[in-house]
Amino acid sequence: MFGQAKAFSGFSVDDLDKAKRFYGDTLGLRVEESGSGDMRMLGLTLGGGAQVFVYPKENHTPATFTILNFPVDDIDTAVDELAQRGVGLERYPEFGADEKGVVRAGRGDEGPAAIAWFKDPAGNVLSVIQES
């Protein structure tokens, strides 16, 4: 039924202007704004052309799970670039992060080789992830 639909995901933020600067200027995504007044919204274009809809919500509650994962070839370079742009990493006690804030898999572990989480200005969780 929806196998050929060009589906897209979306999430809310509490400040559309901050989101526009963060996703466009800080992360370097293509950001397009549409609408006006109370009906403003953003369209993010991810690598490969996928679209994400970002909308303001007055009573926004940040997502407590990862809403966007950005695959990278070199997580150390990505983490350093985020730090240079003023983005701090999140550290979760249940995952053993190194001094940079990167969680690295041990030998034989399934899943990504390394992952690091950070938040957008609205508190939504994002990650950079390096595959094995």
Side-chain angles (χ1 to χ4, degrees), residues 75-91:
I75 199 162
D76 292 301
T77 299
V79 164
D80 291 345
E81 288 179 15
L82 286 169
Q84 289 172 1
R85 294 169 186 234
V87 178
L89 297 183
E90 296 297 307
R91 293 174 188 261

Side-chain angles (χ1 to χ4, degrees), residues 53-120:
F53 171 64
V54 180
Y55 57 95
K57 186 175 177 190
E58 190 173 307
N59 60 348
H60 165 76
T61 300
T64 58
F65 51 87
T66 309
I67 61 167
L68 284 176
N69 297 286
F70 294 97
V72 295
D73 292 329
D74 183 344
I75 199 162
D76 292 301
T77 299
V79 164
D80 291 345
E81 288 179 15
L82 286 169
Q84 289 172 1
R85 294 169 186 234
V87 178
L89 297 183
E90 296 297 307
R91 293 174 188 261
Y92 300 103
E94 63 270 28
F95 301 110
D98 65 15
E99 66 282 347
K100 282 188 166 188
V102 177
V103 176
R104 299 176 194 274
R107 290 185 178 187
D109 289 351
E110 292 185 25
I115 187 168
W117 293 275
F118 60 101
K119 291 184 177 178
D120 73 3

Side-chain angles (χ1 to χ4, degrees), residues 4 6 15 36 47 51 66-67 80 90 99 115 124-125 127:
Q4 299 302 314
K6 291 192 176 190
D15 186 320
S36 62
Q51 297 286 309
T66 309
I67 61 167
D80 291 345
E90 296 297 307
E99 66 282 347
I115 187 168
N124 295 312
V125 181
S127 83

Side-chain angles (χ1 to χ4, degrees), residues 23 29-30 44-52 68-70:
Y23 286 100
L29 300 179
R30 191 173 88 206
L44 307 180
T45 301
L46 307 177
Q51 297 286 309
V52 178
L68 284 176
N69 297 286
F70 294 97

